[in-house]
Amino acid sequence: MALRTLLTGHGLVESPRWRGDRLYFSDWSAGEVIAVDLAGRSETIARVTSLPLCTAFLPDGRMLLVSSSDGLLLRRERDGALVRYAELGGRPGWNDIVVDGRGNAYVNSIGFDMMAGAPYEPGFVALVTPDGTVRQVADGLAFPNGMAVTADNSTLVVAESYGHCLAAFDIDAGGGLSGRRVWAHLGDGTPDGICLDAAGAVWYADVPGKRCVRVAEGGQVLQAVELDRGGFACTLGGPDGTTLFVVAAEWSDGPEPVPAGTGQVLTTEVGVPAAGWP
């Protein structure tokens, strides 16, 4: 599969989201949310000092941003102003977010302060309803990372990076989660950001594996895109929903895990379009 470099020269890139006619992604190193069109024209639309800095869109088109260091969920207004949407709480490790078609936001936490060198603890998922109420709806997750919701709002899929698997939950009418199960065992795969397609498969990005992989429920590998650096997240978008966007960067165990300027936005065309959220 041929890869095209849409944008380069960034840091730790994450959270790609297609909306309208542009891709939105976060540069965690710079504390910026950036929009880029298919011609590579980009602009910074928000600045938040947060690591992580993940985003999702409400049904009305406004963006939610996880300000992890403050324990806040922010909303970007149409004029670009950032306002408080919900208080997530002071627990460490707030990470990824997905908003379903009913406006329910699911925000996960890895469960410990990795940046401060704290010992590992299992993570969890919190539900933020449209009225701003926050409650925990799942726990015991092995480093929860990317999340996606099926098009019928019935299932949440969560990447467990330390568990080398994708977990799934049933979503009830009130947004609660139940029926936890392993959706796919991934062998040595380490899933980070994920997205769903119309055939019910999941694409997951893999940092140590330097790849982006499409798997069916149960774990059968359907396709793989090999990268020359770590794949941090992926999403489907473009005019027909068949452009796979991958945000990737070099990763090392040194003092600078993501060397400056190595973050890229890559694209390739696939056969099955996007479905669900993000």
Side-chain angles (χ1 to χ4, degrees), residues 183-197:
W183 192 88
H185 289 288
L186 304 178
D188 63 353
T190 304
D192 199 320
I194 67 172
C195 64
L196 288 158
D197 69 22

Side-chain angles (χ1 to χ4, degrees), residues 220-245:
Q220 180 187 359
V221 174
L222 304 173
Q223 287 173 273
V225 178
E226 302 299 326
L227 309 170
D228 67 354
R229 62 199 67 200
F232 283 84
C234 56
T235 198
L236 289 162
D240 302 316
T242 55
T243 301
L244 178 69
F245 296 90

